[in-house]
Amino acid sequence: MKMKALVKQKAGPENVLMEVPVPEIQADEILIRVKAASVCGSDMHKFSWAPSMYMYEKYLPLIFGHEFSGVVEKIGEKIDPAVAKPGDRVTINNAHSCGVCEFCRKGLVMLCPEFYWNGGTKDGAFAEFTVVKADQILKMPDNMSFVAGSLIEPLGVAANAVDKLGIGLGTKVGVIGAGAIGLFATLMAKAAGAAQCVSIGLRSDLPRLQLAVEELGADAYIINDEQNAVEEVKKLTDGMGLDVVFECSGVPQMVNLATDLIRMGGKVGVVGIYSGKAELDLSTLVRSQKSLICTFGGMTPYGRTLEWAKGHPELMQKAEKIVTHKNQLEDFEEMLRRSRAHESIKEVFVFD
C-alpha cells in the first residue's frame, strides 16, 4: 500500500512529493492517519536546507512534520487499547524517550540518549500516515478541530518557555519575533498572568504584530527597524525595562537587544533556533545580574498544554487565528513561496 509524502531525499534545497510505502508498525507502535500537519519555522529551514540543518543529514531521506494530529488507524499487539485504539482522535507529543535514564527521571527528556522525534530524526507527518509510540498519544476532545490539535506542539513550546521563565501575576514581558512561537508566547504569557506584553518585530511583520495586539493579548507592539525599541520599552515601563523578554526570532543579534530591554536582574528566555553565533557583553550582564535561560521544545508540557486548551476553548479559537492557509501536500511549492515571501503566518497541510 502506498501513500503520498513530502520527502527530503538528500542534503540541499530540493523537496520531492512522491509515493512511498505506508509504514509497517512494530508490536509497540501505532499507525496514525494524519489529518492536519502544521508547518514550523524549523521545517522551513529544513526545506531550504539552511546551514544549521547539517545535523539532520544523517537521517535522510526523511519526511518532515512534527506538529500534527490525526486518527489512530492501527495499533501493535503490545498496545493497550485503553491507551489508543482505532478511531481515536489524537494529537501527538512528537518525541519519544526511554523514560528511565537519569535525564528522563529528572524531567529532562529531550536530553535522553535514546530521544528521537517525528519529523526530525525519524519520519514525520507531511505524509498520509506516520508511526508513533504509545507514550506519544494525547487524546483530543471531540470539539477540538484537527487543525487546532496540530497547534498543541507549538503552543507547548511557548508554554514551556513561559513556565521556565516563571511568568506570573504582574510580570512585564516582551516578545521578540512574530512567528508562530512568538505569537503563542504572547498568548501564553498573558494567560499566565502577565500584566504587560510588548510584541517586537519588523515592518514586514506588521500584520502579525497587529494580530498579537488585536487577538492574542499584547498591549503594544514595536516596529524594531523603524523605532528605537529600548527607548520605546522605557516609555512603557516608567524607565525600568521589562522583567522578561522572550527571544523567538532566531536572529543572533536580537539576543543582545533582548538583554538591553530587560531591567536590572531581569531574564531573557532564549527560544529561537539560530543560524549563527551571538556575541554577548557578559561583563555587563554579570554586573547587572541579568540572566539568560535557554528553553527547547516542550515535551513535558504538551499534555498540560492540551488540558489547558480543553479548559480554554476561547483561547484556542484565538490561537487558530494565526493559521492563514490550509494546503494539500500538492500545494507545497506555493506554500514555500508564500512563507519565504512573508505572505503567511501559519501554514497547515490538511488531509481528507
Side-chain angles (χ1 to χ4, degrees), residues 13 47 51 54 70 91 117-118 167 170 185 191 196 215 232 239 250 264 289 296 326 336:
F47 282 133
Y54 71 91
T91 184
W117 59 291
N118 297 79
I167 305 302
Q196 189 176 27
E215 299 289 351
E232 293 300 318
M264 301 278 280
Q289 298 188 60
F296 178 61
K326 298 175 184 178
L336 290 173

Side-chain angles (χ1 to χ4, degrees), residues 80-134:
D80 184 345
V83 173
K85 63 182 184 303
D88 283 348
R89 304 171 76 254
V90 296
T91 184
I92 305 297
N93 172 346
N94 65 29
H96 171 77
S97 66
C98 75
V100 295
C101 72
E102 182 178 356
F103 290 115
C104 287
R105 290 198 302 270
K106 290 180 178 179
L108 300 171
V109 290
M110 299 187 84
L111 301 179
C112 170
E114 296 183 22
F115 175 85
Y116 68 72
W117 59 291
N118 297 79
T121 59
K122 68 172 298 203
D123 283 338
F126 294 158
E128 294 177 280
F129 294 93
T130 194
V131 175
V132 300
K133 299 282 192 179

